[in-house]
């Protein structure tokens, strides 16, 4: 049998020949009364789940209006001074006319949602499925849960006019450097990125300005995308200045 003589099977836009041809059609598998459920874990099905997450997220947040995202550790509790600071920042953000978006969990995220809710603003939580379930905190008024980090991160960037970053761990760093990378590569317009807590962030900033800049890995202007403050009032002032100048000049 020549290469051209082999029977082929069309599966939507995909052409299958030889051993790649399935024994049963997609319709047959769909209409089987009982059959293996492994297909719900296959990559093509995951694509639909991913699509659904984007559709749900866009639909839920489309009419949100301007918002500020607030990040920070889930491990910092109500007795932490950073918790109180996050509450006050969120309250000030609402007074400026913004919604507040957090990751929806405990700690600093709870503080951000609490401040927004207590100030009468829109309190948004974008949760993530984790092995150890955290759940939405009680101060979230509009919550969306995601399976995939990348879909969730898209929502943070798309619907935020600025990031306020409190002390946190890997998840907080991930959101911080995602925003910096997107701005550095001009994938998004510049917006304010405020680090709260000089003592906490100073080691990272020293390393960036020293090892990273001096090694030629980033430019000094890239580090200037960050504004570092210590108080809620300073953080809010940075956001006010950025709002006055407009997004491209932040």
């Amino acid at each position: 049998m020549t290469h051209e003589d082999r029977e082929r099977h069309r599966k939507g836009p995909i052409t299958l020949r030889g051993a790649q041809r399935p024994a049963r059609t997609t319709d047959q598998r769909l209409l089987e009364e009982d059959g293996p459920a492994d297909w719900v874990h296959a990559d093509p099905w995951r694509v639909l789940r991913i699509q659904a997450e984007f559709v749900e997220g866009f639909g839920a947040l489309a009419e949100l209006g301007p918002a500020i995202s607030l990040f920070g550790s889930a491990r910092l509790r109500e007795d932490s001074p950073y918790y109180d600071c996050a509450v006050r920042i969120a309250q000030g953000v609402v007074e400026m006319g913004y919604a507040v978006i957090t990751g929806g969990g405990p700690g600093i995220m709870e503080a951000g949602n609490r401040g927004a809710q207590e100030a009468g603003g829109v309190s948004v939580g974008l949760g993530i499925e984790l092995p150890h379930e955290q759940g939405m905190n009680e101060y979230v008024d509009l919550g969306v849960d995601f399976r995939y980090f990348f879909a969730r991160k898209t929502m943070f960037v798309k619907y935020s006019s600025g990031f306020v970053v409190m002390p946190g761990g890997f998840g907080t760093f991930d959101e911080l450097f995602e925003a910096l990378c997107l701005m550095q590569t001009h994938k998004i317009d510049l917006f304010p990125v405020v680090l709260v807590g000089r003592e906490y962030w100073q080691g990272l900033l020293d390393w960036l300005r020293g090892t990273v800049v001096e090694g030629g890995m980033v430019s000094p202007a890239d580090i200037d995308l960050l504004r570092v403050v210590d108080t809620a009032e300073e953080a809010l002032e940075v956001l006010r200045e950025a709002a006055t100048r407009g997004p491209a000049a932040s």
Side-chain angles (χ1 to χ4, degrees), residues 4-228:
E4 289 75 13
D5 291 334
R6 290 191 304 166
E7 290 187 58
R8 68 178 183 176
H9 177 86
R10 293 295 301 276
K11 186 178 180 181
I14 302 170
T15 298
L16 303 171
R17 290 191 174 93
Q20 296 298 313
R21 295 178 64 244
R24 301 174 67 77
T25 69
T26 302
D27 279 342
Q28 284 176 301
R29 292 196 299 274
L30 174 65
L31 296 173
E32 284 176 345
E33 184 172 334
D34 294 303
D38 293 345
W39 60 276
V40 302
H41 306 295
D43 285 342
W45 183 251
R46 289 192 182 102
V47 170
L48 296 180
R49 282 180 170 169
I50 291 166
Q51 175 180 288
E53 292 212 339
F54 280 108
V55 170
E56 289 289 346
F58 292 153
L61 302 176
E63 299 179 0
L64 179 63
I68 299 293
S69 286
L70 193 152
F71 302 97
S73 175
R75 304 182 185 190
L76 293 177
R77 301 306 177 189
E78 194 170 352
D79 59 356
S80 166
Y82 289 118
Y83 185 104
D84 180 67
C85 183
V87 169
R88 289 186 286 114
I89 290 172
Q91 290 171 339
V93 164
V94 168
E95 292 169 2
M96 292 168 59
Y98 292 95
V100 173
I101 305 175
T102 80
I108 294 299
M109 294 174 281
E110 176 187 289
N113 291 125
R114 179 176 180 174
Q117 188 184 88
E118 290 179 350
V122 181
S123 175
V124 180
L126 304 181
I128 186 71
E129 179 185 15
L130 296 172
H132 304 288
E133 190 64 43
Q134 292 181 322
M136 288 285 179
N137 67 69
E138 62 180 308
Y139 300 102
V140 171
D141 296 321
L142 171 58
V144 184
D145 280 308
F146 293 87
R147 287 187 176 91
Y148 300 101
F149 269 112
F150 57 83
R152 179 186 187 230
K153 289 198 290 185
T154 298
M155 302 303 153
F156 278 123
V157 173
K158 179 174 176 60
Y159 293 102
S160 296
S161 299
F163 279 11
V164 175
V165 188
M166 310 291 294
F170 288 160
T172 302
F173 303 155
D174 183 38
E175 300 294 353
L176 168 61
F177 283 103
E178 174 88 4
L180 293 176
C181 180
L182 291 172
M183 288 192 286
Q184 180 199 49
T185 55
H186 303 288
K187 290 293 187 181
I188 60 174
D189 290 334
L190 301 185
F191 61 56
V193 178
V194 186
L195 304 183
V196 181
R198 282 187 176 89
E199 182 178 1
Y200 183 81
W201 295 107
Q202 194 60 54
L204 173 63
L205 293 170
D206 290 343
W207 176 73
L208 289 173
R209 292 195 178 103
T211 302
V212 181
V213 171
E214 290 175 7
M217 308 303 174
V218 301
S219 70
D222 296 328
I223 309 303
D224 291 339
L225 294 171
L226 296 166
R227 297 287 298 275
V228 190

